[in-house]
Amino acid sequence: MADTGATPDASAPATGADRSAKGGDKAVGTAAAEGKLSPKDRRKRIADRVLAEGQVSIEDLVQELGVSQMTVHRDLDSLEHQGWLRKVRGGATAAPNALFESNARWRGNEQVAAKEAICAAALAIAEPGQAVIIDDSSTALPLARSLASRGAYTVITNSLQVINELAEEPDIRVIALGGEYHAAFNAFLGMSTADIARSFRADVAFLSTSAVDNGHCYHQAQENVLVKRALMAAARRRVLLVDHSKFGRQALYELAPLADFDLVISDERLPQEERDALQSLGVRYELAAEGAHRA
């Protein structure tokens, strides 16, 4: 097969010299094994590597998997279409741009300390007994994990990860917003999800966004914007959780003006010019200190 390349003759007896050259045998055997991966397993391996390393070259993938450049290109095209990565010249990356939002796994490993601090501040807002909306953002996930220690809540969410985190918590009532599942976001998104969200009325909604620029929030995915707007409309109070790295970024679709949120919580690494801009817009904001203990 063109994709697998040449494979060693398994029937040939090993000589003493062959057995002594363990490193070489292992490398050749590994390359041959990689070339025999099914397309599904091969693409999973590519996605895992890009998400672990952030970026990978086509040349490295060809050598690692023992397949042709054309096969790697096809795999990357498929993974890009599914939202796992973004193709760039000579390889692929997990980093976002104006048109591509990073995979949920990649985002979960970015700005972890800042997100923990932001959610520690947000936790004080969520009062036991309330109905709370939590979106599919990686920023809000630490908040979901902390609610169980605070008391009883009703949590409305489109995030499969939040659902799984809270499913066995006896004091948490989980209302899952169904719809079309998007693996790249690990969430339910689209028109039907938005329609379901609008049928509820919650005390507070905690949401995030992938870009903040010139007083407005933006996101790369239209179906995500649709659901986030519905979640905002379903809550009496809206809180935006957004770390400093999102400011000054660009994305294709406008979500909402910052002024539509009752509070914006960021972290202390937010640049002074961004703080001044928030103040000039009349946006109420709070900056959380990394390492602060949860209430």
Side-chain angles (χ1 to χ4, degrees):
M1 294 174 60
D3 283 356
T4 60
T7 57
D9 184 355
S11 64
T15 65
D18 290 334
R19 284 189 295 270
S20 65
K22 293 180 181 177
D25 283 349
K26 184 177 180 181
V28 172
T30 300
E34 302 294 0
K36 293 180 180 177
L37 287 171
S38 69
K40 179 180 177 180
D41 289 341
R42 191 175 61 240
R43 288 167 188 171
K44 181 180 184 304
R45 181 160 297 191
I46 293 172
D48 286 344
R49 182 169 175 188
V50 173
L51 292 174
E53 299 178 14
Q55 188 160 340
V56 67
S57 72
I58 290 174
E59 183 179 350
D60 285 346
L61 291 175
V62 167
Q63 293 179 357
E64 177 183 340
L65 301 173
V67 296
S68 67
Q69 282 195 6
M70 185 177 295
T71 296
V72 171
H73 274 288
R74 285 199 300 266
D75 288 342
L76 294 180
D77 286 339
S78 176
L79 291 168
E80 183 176 49
H81 179 72
Q82 297 171 46
W84 289 98
L85 50 79
R86 174 167 59 92
K87 281 185 76 176
V88 295
R89 184 177 181 85
T93 179
N97 68 0
L99 299 176
F100 170 79
E101 170 62 310
S102 300
N103 179 273
R105 239 172 72 192
W106 170 263
R107 286 183 282 120
N109 293 321
E110 292 290 292
Q111 303 295 337
V112 174
K115 291 173 182 177
E116 291 279 354
I118 289 168
C119 286
L123 190 61
I125 298 170
E127 299 177 7
Q130 287 187 329
V132 173
I133 290 173
I134 298 178
D135 73 354
D136 62 291
S137 64
S138 63
T139 305
L141 187 58
L143 174 63
R145 290 170 174 159
S146 301
L147 286 179
S149 64
R150 294 268 295 175
Y153 291 90
T154 295
V155 175
I156 303 166
T157 184
N158 65 315
S159 166
L160 184 57
Q161 192 164 359
V162 171
I163 294 168
N164 290 334
E165 289 280 350
L166 299 178
E168 297 184 8
E169 295 293 342
D171 292 333
I172 305 294
R173 178 190 180 198
V174 178
I175 297 177
L177 303 178
E180 183 180 354
Y181 177 71
H182 289 243
F185 294 103
N186 200 16
F188 300 95
L189 300 169
M191 184 76 72
S192 57
T193 308
D195 287 343
I196 297 168
R198 278 189 284 266
S199 68
F200 294 98
R201 189 64 175 168
D203 294 289
V204 58
F206 296 98
L207 303 96
S208 189
T209 191
S210 55
V212 177
D213 186 55
N214 197 28
H216 293 258
C217 303
Y218 296 88
H219 200 282
Q220 298 91 337
Q222 198 169 23
E223 61 271 22
N224 212 307
V225 168
L226 187 66
V227 172
K228 286 178 185 287
R229 285 179 178 172
L231 294 175
M232 290 177 66
R236 180 176 58 83
R237 191 179 184 194
R238 308 169 190 123
V239 180
L240 181 67
L241 312 178
V242 56
D243 72 77
H244 68 279
S245 70
K246 306 293 178 60
F247 286 79
R249 282 188 183 176
Q250 293 184 336
L252 186 60
Y253 300 102
E254 181 184 358
L255 168 59
L258 291 176
D260 282 1
F261 292 90
D262 297 281
L263 178 65
V264 174
I265 305 179
S266 189
D267 60 277
E268 287 191 329
R269 287 190 282 168
L270 185 68
Q272 186 61 50
E273 58 268 27
E274 297 292 353
R275 303 182 193 193
D276 294 341
L278 291 173
Q279 190 168 358
S280 67
L281 290 168
V283 175
R284 182 169 173 247
Y285 72 95
E286 180 180 337
L287 301 181
E290 294 182 15
H293 295 290
R294 290 190 179 95

